[in-house]
Amino acid sequence: FYFDEDYRYIHGKGMTVLYAVTVIYVIMTWLYMIVFRKEFSIRQVVSVYFYTIAALIALVIQYFQPYLMVLSFSLTLAMILMYLSLENPLDFVDRRLDIFNKEAFLEVTHNNILREKKFQVLAIKLDGIKYVKETLGEKIEEELLKEITKYLGKAINGTEIFYMGRNTFAIVGTLRSDKWDEGIKKIRN
């Protein structure tokens, strides 16, 4: 970039190459979104299309009006909006037990179904946890649930454990059936 004789901000010749690379990148992003559309939620698809269209419009305006800083402003605005609209990874974690929660379970199983991936689900409902909480306190209940989580993780290695709430766990795995059966036997004993 440089400033002209009237002290206006002007992009140099290299910006044309950068604009071309940007357009190619946007086209590749759209093709990726079209090919793998089943893996994205409608909200994600709309967000990507909206932000890329807005950025392309700003790019065209910036190209024909090089003294304006439209592109920088629009990209900054798009980044802020994308940051605010993206899913927070902490929304998928039970903070008390530090494992995946019910929302994560629904997302994982939904993605496995969309990809037509074979998987197993084991649900475990614990009885008597309310009694532990009432007699020994909430801290002991939390420690007990954490120990149970560790045990389940060791019993069926290579799986994901989810806390569904109300003392219910779900285990999702893509293991061979013999490994899965071994893990279930360990849990029963």
Side-chain angles (χ1 to χ4, degrees):
F1 74 91
Y2 62 93
F3 294 98
D4 68 359
E5 58 277 346
D6 294 330
Y7 300 105
R8 290 185 297 187
Y9 177 84
I10 304 291
H11 288 279
K13 303 280 185 211
M15 286 304 288
T16 304
V17 173
L18 185 60
Y19 291 154
V21 169
T22 302
V23 169
I24 291 169
Y25 180 75
V26 167
I27 290 169
M28 289 173 49
T29 302
W30 282 8
L31 288 174
Y32 182 83
M33 293 293 292
I34 290 168
V35 170
F36 297 105
R37 66 184 165 272
K38 286 184 177 181
E39 295 185 28
F40 298 102
S41 69
I42 293 172
R43 179 179 159 201
Q44 291 171 324
V45 171
V46 169
S47 295
V48 168
Y49 287 153
F50 173 76
Y51 296 133
T52 54
I53 289 170
L56 285 174
I57 290 170
L59 184 95
V60 169
I61 293 170
Q62 183 74 60
Y63 184 78
F64 292 108
Q65 301 293 326
Y67 56 88
L68 296 177
M69 295 183 78
V70 175
L71 189 58
S72 300
F73 173 75
S74 67
L75 291 177
T76 302
L77 185 61
M79 293 299 286
I80 290 170
L81 292 173
M82 280 174 49
Y83 176 75
L84 294 174
S85 66
L86 289 176
E87 294 173 347
N88 184 355
L90 292 177
D91 290 343
F92 296 107
V93 175
D94 182 275
R95 288 179 180 90
R96 192 171 65 134
L97 300 179
D98 200 29
I99 61 171
F100 293 121
N101 61 17
K102 184 177 180 179
E103 294 299 319
F105 172 79
L106 295 172
E107 187 72 24
V108 167
T109 54
H110 176 75
N111 286 337
N112 284 342
I113 291 168
L114 283 178
R115 293 181 184 145
E116 298 177 2
K117 187 176 182 181
K118 292 184 179 182
F119 66 100
Q120 303 97 343
V121 176
L122 175 64
I124 301 171
K125 173 77 172 164
L126 302 175
D127 292 328
I129 299 295
K130 184 177 180 183
Y131 177 74
V132 171
K133 181 179 179 180
E134 290 171 355
T135 56
L136 301 174
E138 193 171 322
K139 185 171 179 148
I140 300 297
E141 174 210 24
E142 187 175 312
E143 289 177 23
L144 177 62
L145 289 172
K146 285 181 181 179
E147 287 300 316
I148 290 170
T149 301
K150 287 179 189 175
Y151 177 76
L152 292 174
K154 289 178 184 175
I156 307 180
N157 230 354
T159 59
E160 296 174 3
I161 301 172
F162 303 87
Y163 184 67
M164 307 298 282
R166 297 186 179 183
N167 305 320
T168 303
F169 292 88
I171 302 174
V172 176
T174 56
L175 303 172
R176 295 188 330 256
S177 61
D178 57 331
K179 294 280 187 186
W180 184 257
D181 292 339
E182 283 177 30
I184 292 174
K185 285 178 186 174
K186 287 180 189 176
I187 292 172
R188 284 185 179 161
N189 296 330

